[in-house]
Amino acid sequence: MYKRILLKLSGESLMGEQQYGIDENRLAAYARQIKDIAALGVEIGIVIGGGNIFRGLSGAGKGFDRVKGDQMGMLATTINALALSSALSSAGQKARVLTAVNMFPIGEQYSKWKAIEAMQNGEIAILAGGTGCPYFTTDTGSALRGIEIEADVMLKGTRVDGIYTADPEKDPNAKKFDRITYDEIYDRGLKIMDLTATTLCRDNHLPIIVFNMDKEGNLLKLITGENIGTLVYEK
Ligand code: UDP
């Protein structure tokens, strides 16, 4: 069983069936799954995206300044982080929001040691604001935080079961990988995460598991050693 994990949740998945914002039922379902693995003693850091509210790149397409747009995106991740921490506390699970840039008292400013201290106290460390820098994504933020907090693995929760040869939502012949190397991801041009995030994981030996977080119970299955999702490994 993993001792410490970094869980990445996309902002988009928080929309559930909606077109925008946060679906409280989806949020509550995530909180239940997270609480269930915390009960096993796993130390959990979470990075959450903001695509359900704002993305800098699409803002730039509509005339926003890119840096300001990215800052809006980072604020969006913080909104989601607060929503998740609230859902976790409603479920009876302690959590602490740590922000990449100083936003006190919305959260405390992130440091590796504060995150580790929170996790060792049995709190979920929700790491908001991505990397704190524009031109990055929360996938890169989660790779960075995963490495910093010395996580055993980065779990990337998505709405598909793992990594496929092609987009399974578009191509019925797409085949799922049980395991794949980082290099194969580059060679096949698979778009699982941006290359900055993939490279950061590869160079720092952080394995990734891509799995379907929307199936309730999947997170617990993964933690208890069931072979679900796709493992990305070195060689
Ligand atoms: N963002 C950023 N720097 C970071 C992380 C995120 O500027 O380190 C901004 C960026 O504009 C991005 C937005 O925040 O589009 C939301 O994050 P992301 O698109 O990764 O969210 P997700 O796709 O996971 O919902």
Side-chain angles (χ1 to χ4, degrees), residues 51-229:
N52 55 325
I53 302 173
F54 199 85
R55 280 207 175 94
L57 201 55
S58 38
K62 294 178 192 141
F64 281 88
D65 174 79
R66 174 70 194 269
V67 173
K68 285 197 169 69
D70 279 341
Q71 288 169 334
M72 291 165 72
M74 289 186 266
L75 290 173
T77 75
T78 311
I79 292 175
N80 287 334
L82 293 177
L84 182 63
S85 76
S86 167
L88 284 166
S89 69
S90 299
Q93 172 61 54
K94 286 188 290 178
R96 202 191 301 191
V97 175
L98 300 174
T99 59
V101 293
N102 187 8
M103 295 177 76
F104 186 79
I106 287 176
E108 291 166 62
Q109 190 165 359
Y110 166 83
S111 77
K112 166 183 176 168
W113 297 277
K114 263 191 224 160
I116 289 177
E117 184 193 81
M119 291 187 294
Q120 288 177 340
N121 277 338
E123 295 168 71
I124 312 291
I126 305 177
L127 311 174
T131 62
C133 299
Y135 297 96
F136 287 100
T137 63
T138 47
D139 279 340
T140 302
S142 69
L144 175 65
R145 297 301 188 227
I147 295 159
E148 281 188 272
I149 66 168
E150 299 172 37
D152 301 323
V153 66
M154 170 172 153
L155 303 180
K156 184 173 157 63
T158 67
R159 57 182 188 188
V160 288
D161 292 327
I163 301 175
Y164 284 77
T165 48
D167 184 347
E169 290 176 349
K170 292 184 189 139
D171 182 348
N173 297 318
K175 295 225 162 22
K176 178 175 164 280
F177 295 97
D178 287 335
R179 296 159 67 85
I180 187 169
T181 61
Y182 300 104
D183 289 340
E184 218 176 333
I185 290 177
Y186 300 125
D187 294 346
R188 290 175 176 263
L190 298 174
K191 293 187 177 55
I192 296 115
M193 308 198 295
D194 53 287
L195 292 181
T196 315
T198 310
T199 305
L200 206 53
C201 289
R202 187 192 63 175
D203 289 354
N204 293 281
H205 321 290
L206 180 66
I208 309 163
I209 298 176
V210 179
F211 75 106
N212 187 341
M213 178 76 186
D214 293 356
K215 281 194 193 144
E216 223 167 324
N218 260 0
L219 187 58
L220 184 65
K221 283 185 186 164
L222 246 185
I223 293 294
T224 51
E226 253 186 72
N227 202 2
I228 59 168

